[in-house]
Amino acid sequence: MEQQIKELERQARQLETTVQDRKSLINKATGYGEEFLNSLSEKPAYVNSETMGKGVYELPFDEKPKDFDQLLQALKSEVDLPGLNPASGKHAGYIPGGGLYPSAIADYLAAVTNRYTGVFFSSPGAVRIENMCIRWMNDLIGYPDGASGNLTSGGSIANLIGLVVTRDDSGIKAEDFSRAVIYTTQQVHHCVIKAIKFAGLGEATLRTIPMDDHYRMKADALEEQIKSDKKDGRIPLTIFASAGTTDLGAVDPLDEIGDIAEQHDLWFHVDAAYGGFFLLTEHGKEMMKGIEKSDSATIDPHKGLFLPYGSGALLVKDGERLYESQHMSANYLQDTYKATEEASPADLSPELSKHFRGLRMWLPLQLFGVQPFRAALDEKLLLTRYFYDKIQQIDSIEVGPEPELSVAFFRYVPENGDANAFNKKLVNEIHNDGRVFLSSTHLNGTVYLRLAVLNFRTHLEDIDLILSVLREKIRKLEVI
């Protein structure tokens, strides 16, 4: 048996790279990254590829090793070329992600050291870093010292945890779920609908409260609906408001909604995944007045802090409520219970094993300071207003309401033909061209194009290029 163990050990030791191997791998990887970033300004924002990355299937997993250069080439041609380039400053569709370089360094360090950040006992310094990030975001929202939270993979999981905390804190039983009512608008992110299903509340009633002409929830309609539901014997459970809807960038009247929630003893959750970090700006503070009245909030550092994808957060005003909902003990973890100086992430989330996410947020905030982030967000707000003003100088353009944050929507109305068909062709022309990227949406059957400015690399020259491409494609389609 010992001989067999030794032989298996010899084979398994191939997984431990040598100093020379590590240097070669990291040098080639950083070289690849440098080439990608140095040529980023010349790269298209979107590539409409016929193969759509199918070449990765030519590299099946098998018993024999492959050359790293070959794998990097596959990444270049099959992963980093086709489709949308989220790193590009010319990506102004959907809600752009970030990709700060120091965050990539942080992820490298976190992965190499492989710290386990589930419990304070196992990695106290790492957990302190994550809790430090959460505390900073709670301060930004305006929550008190007893607030808590958890770093998640994104807004979807954050909203799900927030809804589960709401459900658990309410004390309602499964037999009551069909009487429960959740209040939101048609502009709520679809991940909330998924969260309702995953939280076991599929039988609950989802009330879509009417919106004003800026696509914001009508507070008076909300209050009337709550009163009506109470009168009918239903159980008002929670209000899901938005601080920057993904589709249109609308901000619900949080101050008024907060008062209504308090009056009727409802849990008040704000989905600020997109808009939350605009609180760093004076404009954002004004737009989101009242967010501090919420019981919980979702905020995504991979949006407004420009971090890589996989960076979300749930914040809860009363941290004990989050702990009571998510905490669970296990026999094999008994050694960890003696270290309780800091809250453990595993006690505040469904996750046990998790990546050390906090380092990718902590490192750039320490390296750059907060000021450049605030300046970048103010820049995005002004760029959106600049676009909104300039796009109206194109004949036959119709625009939506003045942007509240950094999303603007518009459409072209041709003299002849169907406007919806024209705008679908227009967005397809933009995608086929690839120099810039915009997305489309539809409101009550009307097709619009969307501009979403949030990439930290998007600057004035990029917005001017977007305007130029729009003029060019409109002229082309009008001739056709």
Side-chain angles (χ1 to χ4, degrees):
M1 182 183 291
E2 290 182 8
Q3 184 176 356
Q4 183 181 10
I5 291 173
K6 287 292 185 180
E7 173 56 25
L8 290 172
E9 176 187 335
R10 184 190 66 79
Q11 297 177 40
R13 281 185 177 274
Q14 296 177 68
L15 300 175
E16 182 62 83
T17 52
T18 66
V19 172
Q20 291 78 11
D21 289 339
R22 291 195 292 271
K23 286 183 177 179
S24 176
L25 289 170
I26 198 64
N27 286 339
K28 289 180 179 180
T30 55
Y32 180 92
E34 287 300 308
E35 190 280 329
F36 176 83
L37 292 175
N38 290 337
S39 61
L40 190 55
S41 60
E42 287 81 45
K43 293 179 184 296
Y46 185 81
V47 174
N48 196 355
S49 164
E50 291 184 4
T51 60
M52 299 296 286
K54 288 182 180 178
V56 297
Y57 295 144
E58 297 175 8
L59 295 168
F61 302 121
D62 55 38
E63 295 295 316
K64 296 180 180 180
K66 295 180 178 67
D67 183 72
F68 190 46
D69 290 330
Q70 179 188 12
L71 301 179
L72 286 178
Q73 182 55 45
L75 284 177
K76 183 175 183 178
S77 63
E78 307 303 319
V79 177
D80 293 329
L81 177 64
L84 178 60
N85 183 356
S88 172
K90 300 174 185 63
H91 165 28
Y94 310 122
I95 300 295
L100 288 175
Y101 191 79
S103 292
I105 301 299
D107 278 351
Y108 166 76
L109 294 173
V112 167
T113 58
N114 201 30
R115 305 304 299 183
Y116 172 61
T117 54
V119 295
F120 179 69
F121 171 81
S122 67
S123 189
V127 170
R128 288 184 194 276
I129 279 179
E130 296 213 338
N131 288 346
M132 182 178 175
C133 294
I134 291 165
R135 180 66 262 166
W136 181 73
M137 289 185 286
N138 275 317
D139 289 343
L140 186 65
I141 293 288
Y143 284 170
D145 289 342
S148 186
N150 190 260
L151 299 181
T152 68
S153 61
S156 297
I157 300 301
N159 279 331
L160 172 59
I161 300 172
L163 184 60
V164 170
V165 176
T166 303
R167 181 199 67 193
D168 294 347
D169 184 72
S170 72
I172 64 172
K173 306 298 183 183
E175 63 189 18
D176 301 319
F177 287 0
S178 62
R179 294 166 54 218
V181 186
I182 300 167
Y183 302 89
T184 186
T185 73
Q186 289 183 341
Q187 279 292 304
V188 72
H189 196 280
H190 66 280
C191 76
V192 173
I193 311 303
K194 293 172 69 173
I196 291 170
K197 174 183 177 182
F198 297 156
L201 293 169
E203 294 179 351
T205 298
L206 181 65
R207 295 287 192 211
T208 53
I209 303 301
M211 300 175 289
D212 64 17
D213 56 4
H214 282 67
Y215 300 93
R216 300 171 299 202
M217 184 186 292
K218 288 184 176 181
D220 55 349
L222 169 67
E223 185 162 28
E224 288 304 313
Q225 185 63 65
I226 293 171
K227 290 178 179 178
S228 175
D229 286 332
K230 283 185 172 181
K231 185 177 179 180
D232 292 343
R234 297 183 182 273
I235 306 173
L237 181 63
T238 183
I239 304 167
F240 257 84
S242 298
T245 59
T246 299
D247 201 8
L248 306 176
V251 180
D252 289 326
L254 306 179
D255 207 24
E256 295 177 69
I257 294 172
D259 290 341
I260 292 169
E262 182 178 11
Q263 179 184 347
H264 293 279
D265 195 25
L266 270 73
W267 188 283
F268 176 26
H269 179 86
V270 176
D271 184 353
Y274 153 52
F277 283 106
F278 283 106
L279 285 165
L280 288 170
T281 71
E282 291 304 316
H283 176 79
K285 290 176 185 177
E286 181 64 27
M287 294 301 303
M288 298 177 210
K289 182 181 178 182
I291 192 172
E292 71 281 355
K293 296 179 180 180
S294 63
D295 295 291
S296 56
T298 293
I299 188 168
D300 278 0
H302 68 209
K303 294 185 175 75
L305 277 191
F306 320 119
L307 304 191
Y309 287 125
S311 309
L314 169 70
L315 308 173
V316 180
K317 180 183 287 184
D318 183 347
E320 285 299 316
R321 297 183 177 189
L322 176 60
Y323 178 86
E324 290 299 323
S325 170
Q326 300 297 308
H327 168 69
M328 188 169 291
S329 60
N331 293 345
Y332 72 93
L333 292 176
Q334 66 180 17
D335 297 334
T336 71
Y337 300 148
K338 59 190 177 185
T340 58
E341 186 176 335
E342 289 270 347
S344 291
D347 289 333
L348 307 171
S349 159
E351 286 187 302
L352 297 178
S353 299
K354 61 186 288 291
H355 178 64
F356 180 15
R357 295 190 184 104
L359 194 59
R360 59 163 59 178
M361 178 176 172
W362 181 87
L363 186 60
L365 282 172
Q366 296 287 1
L367 281 175
F368 297 136
V370 176
Q371 191 277 331
F373 292 90
R374 181 179 294 108
L377 290 166
D378 271 323
E379 179 197 21
K380 307 318 163 197
L381 292 170
L382 290 177
L383 286 174
T384 309
R385 279 149 187 76
Y386 173 87
F387 175 89
Y388 185 77
D389 292 340
K390 293 291 185 180
I391 193 69
Q392 295 180 70
Q393 296 176 15
I394 300 176
D395 291 340
S396 300
I397 284 285
E398 288 185 357
V399 296
E402 184 174 350
E404 293 189 281
L405 296 175
S406 67
V407 174
F409 62 102
F410 60 96
R411 69 174 185 148
Y412 183 83
V413 182
E415 291 186 8
N416 300 300
D418 181 69
N420 280 355
F422 186 96
N423 284 281
K424 288 179 180 179
K425 290 179 181 177
L426 179 57
V427 76
N428 286 335
E429 282 287 332
I430 293 170
H431 293 173
N432 290 332
D433 179 280
R435 283 175 290 169
V436 302
F437 185 84
L438 301 178
S439 57
S440 66
T441 187
H442 61 88
L443 299 170
N444 301 318
T446 301
V447 175
Y448 291 92
L449 274 67
R450 293 174 64 257
L451 173 99
V453 185
L454 201 59
N455 192 308
F456 70 98
R457 295 187 175 104
T458 301
H459 304 297
L460 186 58
E461 62 182 7
D462 301 304
I463 300 301
D464 283 338
L465 177 60
I466 291 170
L467 289 163
S468 175
V469 170
L470 279 167
R471 291 188 185 96
E472 176 188 324
K473 300 306 176 184
I474 287 171
R475 286 196 299 268
K476 177 183 176 180
L477 290 174
E478 281 286 27
V479 171
I480 295 174

